Amino acid sequence: MPSNRGSLVIDNIGELTTNDDAHGGRLRDAAVVIERDRVSWVGPAAHAPAADSRFDAGGRALLPGWVDSHTHLVFAGDRTAEFEARMAGEAYAAGGINVTVEATRAATDAELTANLARLVEEARSGGTTTLETKTGYGLTVEDERRAAVIAGRYADAVTFLGAHVVPAGDDPASYLDLVTGPMLDAVAPHVSAVDVFCEEGAFDEAASRRVLEAAARAGLASRVHGNQLGHGPGVQLAVSAGSLSVDHLGFLSDDDVSALAGSWRAWDGGAGRRGTVATVLPACDLSTRMPLAPARDLLDAGAVLAIASNANPGTSYTSSMAFCVATAVLQMRLTVQEAVRAATLGGAIALGMESDGWRDPRGDVQGAVGVVRPGARADLHLLDAPSVTHLAYRPGMPLTHAVWRKGERLL
């Protein structure tokens, strides 16, 4: 719940990225006023209203906190050897997930919680203020349920990923029955969405469709891991099911790009039916030595784009959204502003959090994230730089100067 602390004005902002069309997306010489956990005013610094306290931004750039819409943070164990082998030329395959499954099942609740808390703190220190995370490393009814419960203590959104891989030694048909039946029933009270890894070595088109249909029957949103290891049905399944997002997207046909773009034609800025967000995961593409997703083509076609970290122990062991943004600019041909928007507002849209009134896993009503405007949640990221351009201009440098989440300064 919001605290009773007084109002705060952050002024002397050299460049403010708002993602709010009412302010043209960016303001110079700006100020932001925070009241409790929400933004209450945005505009020119010279016109800022009085507040109980003041923070001088020193001419630095301020932007919304990163919205990381795809992570896998409830796990135990280590896959350094797998990464080393991949860097030596071994191809990535979905089956490596079972290594983490074994370690996660053996871990205590306290061990899983401590590791999750550590990883969330790392993400916060780099400016990430909103996190989705998934289950998917337990793959039994009880282990998936406990992962969802643990995730809900720290994440802003929890996704059920029982359909990650078929556990070693299990019968695929029986396991699919478990995922779409008793396992889903056990986790449903603790999650807001269901995901499926629609890939060779994981779940085929028919199995993936069953998972998405089960999610709909349970009244839950859906997401899809798709088109990562090769061209497949993931994009088309996600769009036809009305999934919130389809993530990875290294192998797309023209029809896939058109489907993702076309899914937004009735949205009209939020007034009509929402489409399926195209979520790209550049750190994972680099770590697996797979093709970078065609983010430029997706944007040019009219798709809504999100950038996320895919933080996980096997294929993208980083939560640095700044690294993902720099990669998107330097290697995926996005402008800095496009990449920043995708890593903030794009992620919010992928999570259904771009408007006020969504509820977190604890049931608390929240303001919009990924945007700086009156009424939005006061999630802010101040760079030790005069412009967001420095995120790509100075890649790899520690540019986070201060972070506010729900109006509270974390760093």
Side-chain angles (χ1 to χ4, degrees):
M1 297 294 293
S3 74
N4 293 319
R5 59 183 173 271
S7 59
L8 168 70
V9 59
I10 304 172
D11 63 9
N12 196 16
I13 301 167
E15 175 192 89
L16 172 62
T17 298
T18 67
N19 289 334
D20 181 11
D21 293 338
H23 293 98
R26 281 199 291 176
L27 290 171
R28 308 284 183 182
D29 300 321
V32 173
V33 177
I34 298 171
E35 295 270 1
R36 301 171 70 179
D37 66 338
R38 303 287 182 101
V39 173
S40 62
W41 186 90
V42 177
H47 300 153
D52 296 321
S53 58
R54 173 179 180 262
F55 182 93
D56 183 351
R60 298 177 177 89
L62 186 72
L63 64 154
W66 302 126
V67 179
D68 195 348
S69 61
H70 184 133
T71 77
H72 306 250
L73 299 181
V74 183
F75 70 87
D78 179 87
R79 285 162 68 183
T80 303
E82 177 188 324
F83 176 80
E84 188 172 1
R86 200 161 59 242
M87 295 305 100
E90 190 173 300
Y92 170 67
I97 292 164
N98 275 307
V99 175
T100 302
V101 170
E102 183 177 354
T104 302
R105 288 175 174 176
T108 66
D109 288 5
E111 288 168 337
L112 293 176
T113 300
N115 191 51
L116 173 61
R118 174 182 66 85
L119 294 168
V120 170
E121 180 62 26
E122 283 183 353
R124 299 270 189 258
S125 69
T128 297
T129 52
T130 303
L131 272 167
E132 179 266 9
T133 200
K134 307 175 194 296
T135 70
Y137 290 129
L139 308 189
T140 67
V141 172
E142 179 52 32
D143 283 308
E144 286 295 289
R145 189 202 66 80
R146 73 165 178 154
V149 170
I150 290 169
R153 297 171 188 158
Y154 291 89
D156 297 273
V158 181
T159 301
F160 168 50
L161 184 56
H164 204 177
V165 293
V166 176
D170 281 23
D171 172 68
S174 297
Y175 184 70
L176 183 61
D177 289 341
L178 184 70
V179 167
T180 56
M183 191 181 289
L184 176 57
D185 292 342
V187 303
H190 311 290
V191 304
S192 58
V194 176
D195 203 340
V196 57
F197 191 12
C198 181
E199 289 286 355
E200 183 177 348
F203 292 83
D204 64 15
E205 181 175 0
S208 298
R209 183 177 288 108
R210 273 193 61 189
V211 173
L212 298 179
E213 289 170 349
R217 287 195 302 272
L220 296 169
S222 64
R223 316 183 196 285
V224 175
H225 282 57
N227 301 63
Q228 178 189 7
L229 307 181
H231 186 261
V235 166
Q236 300 295 336
L237 277 174
V239 171
S240 65
S243 297
L244 286 174
S245 71
V246 56
D247 305 15
H248 281 294
L249 307 180
F251 296 86
L252 298 184
S253 67
D254 290 344
D255 286 344
D256 293 330
V257 174
S258 295
L260 286 164
S263 72
W264 291 95
R265 289 190 184 126
W267 193 49
D268 190 25
R273 180 180 180 274
R274 66 179 300 118
T276 298
V277 174
T279 302
V280 299
L281 310 170
C284 181
D285 294 340
L286 294 178
S287 178
T288 55
R289 291 186 170 166
M290 302 297 282
L292 288 161
R296 177 76 271 150
D297 294 342
L298 287 161
L299 270 186
D300 288 347
V304 173
L305 188 74
I307 293 172
S309 74
N310 191 29
N312 76 85
T315 61
S316 185
Y317 202 6
T318 179
S319 61
S320 174
M321 292 290 281
F323 173 73
C324 294
V325 164
T327 300
V329 174
L330 297 173
Q331 298 197 42
M332 301 171 84
R333 298 187 296 122
L334 298 189
T335 68
V336 176
Q337 287 72 32
E338 288 169 339
V340 167
R341 187 180 180 92
T344 52
L345 182 57
I349 297 171
L351 295 175
M353 298 176 181
E354 77 280 6
S355 300
D356 299 338
W358 61 274
R359 291 182 180 272
D360 66 18
R362 291 148 299 279
D364 295 331
V365 176
Q366 303 289 327
V369 298
V371 64
V372 182
R373 60 158 175 76
R377 198 166 82 174
D379 290 1
L380 303 168
H381 182 196
L382 186 67
L383 300 181
D384 199 6
S387 168
V388 293
T389 301
H390 281 235
L391 290 162
Y393 180 47
R394 305 191 68 214
M397 302 307 295
L399 296 181
T400 297
H401 183 79
V403 178
W404 289 264
R405 181 174 184 272
K406 296 183 181 181
E408 179 182 353
R409 187 174 175 188
L410 305 181
L411 181 71

